[in-house]
Amino acid sequence: SKLGTTHHRIMASMSVFDIIASICMALSTLPMPSDTVFRNGRPMWGNKTTCQIQGFLITLGIVGGVTLYNCLAWYMVCKITFRMDDKTMRNKIEPYMMIVAVALALYGAIFLLVKDLINPSFFNSFCSIAPYSEDCNDVSSDEWYDCVSGNEAAMKPFERSLNFTIVVIAVNVVLILE
């Protein structure tokens, strides 16, 4: 009965996505490859696969949570502005909201994984969207700049994913403020 309303189901789903992302972020540098060039004094016991799993789950949790936050805003619009009752919301609106939220979260995480854009990050203490070259593991700290900036061809997918993220955030802000 506690999940009997659309509002409660959206809030519970948001919480699940948030818990997934938060647990993975709490692991900090542990899943990062132990031979990464971005040594910062913290333990790194993982490998590329554990790093990608961490980044995948963080992306899944963040995108799912943000999308469900949007769904919650639209739920309120439907309830207050359009005066929809719970039965209509549950049967006609909620299934599509949940499908879109899960689909966008999976798409974002899978896209980054397939494009090999989930790597040890020089600006986060966890694996996330970052360009990184495997041959950077053997360089001295003086040569980090080339690993961070990468060559132009390696940066294109990163820049596109960053632009896509900015567009998604801008659309979310516009939709919520409407």
Side-chain angles (χ1 to χ4, degrees):
S1 67
K2 294 189 182 196
L3 292 177
T5 67
T6 300
H7 179 263
H8 289 158
R9 285 189 293 274
I10 292 172
M11 293 299 292
S13 301
M14 273 175 52
S15 297
V16 167
F17 278 113
D18 185 46
I19 288 168
I20 290 170
S22 296
I23 288 172
C24 291
M25 284 180 192
L27 292 174
S28 186
T29 59
L30 291 178
M32 283 187 178
S34 56
D35 60 349
T36 187
V37 70
F38 305 124
R39 303 297 289 167
N40 58 11
R42 297 183 186 146
M44 297 178 181
W45 298 331
N47 55 36
K48 183 155 177 79
T49 303
T50 58
C51 183
Q52 288 182 325
I53 291 169
Q54 180 189 35
F56 177 88
L57 292 173
I58 288 171
T59 304
L60 181 79
I62 290 172
V63 173
V66 168
T67 307
L68 282 165
Y69 178 78
N70 235 352
C71 292
L72 183 63
W74 279 105
Y75 165 79
M76 293 299 176
V77 168
C78 290
K79 280 295 271 187
I80 296 168
T81 306
F82 303 129
R83 301 189 193 282
M84 286 189 182
D85 61 354
D86 283 335
K87 185 177 180 185
T88 304
M89 287 296 298
R90 182 178 57 247
N91 295 334
K92 295 188 177 181
I93 307 291
E94 183 184 356
Y96 298 108
M97 281 195 225
M98 293 298 180
I99 289 170
V100 167
V102 171
L104 281 176
L106 283 172
Y107 173 77
I110 291 170
F111 172 81
L112 294 175
L113 193 62
V114 167
K115 294 292 185 180
D116 199 27
L117 290 172
I118 299 174
N119 293 298
S121 175
F122 63 94
F123 51 85
N124 286 326
S125 62
F126 48 85
C127 297
S128 62
I129 304 171
Y132 188 79
S133 173
E134 288 296 325
D135 58 351
C136 287
N137 290 333
D138 298 325
V139 299
S140 70
S141 60
D142 297 334
E143 300 174 85
W144 280 14
Y145 178 76
D146 294 330
C147 293
V148 173
S149 63
N151 61 31
E152 285 189 35
M155 288 298 285
K156 287 298 178 192
F158 176 70
E159 289 171 359
R160 281 195 297 266
S161 69
L162 198 58
N163 290 338
F164 176 75
T165 303
I166 291 168
V167 168
V168 168
I169 290 170
V171 168
N172 277 327
V173 168
V174 169
L175 288 175
I176 289 170
L177 291 178
E178 269 188 19

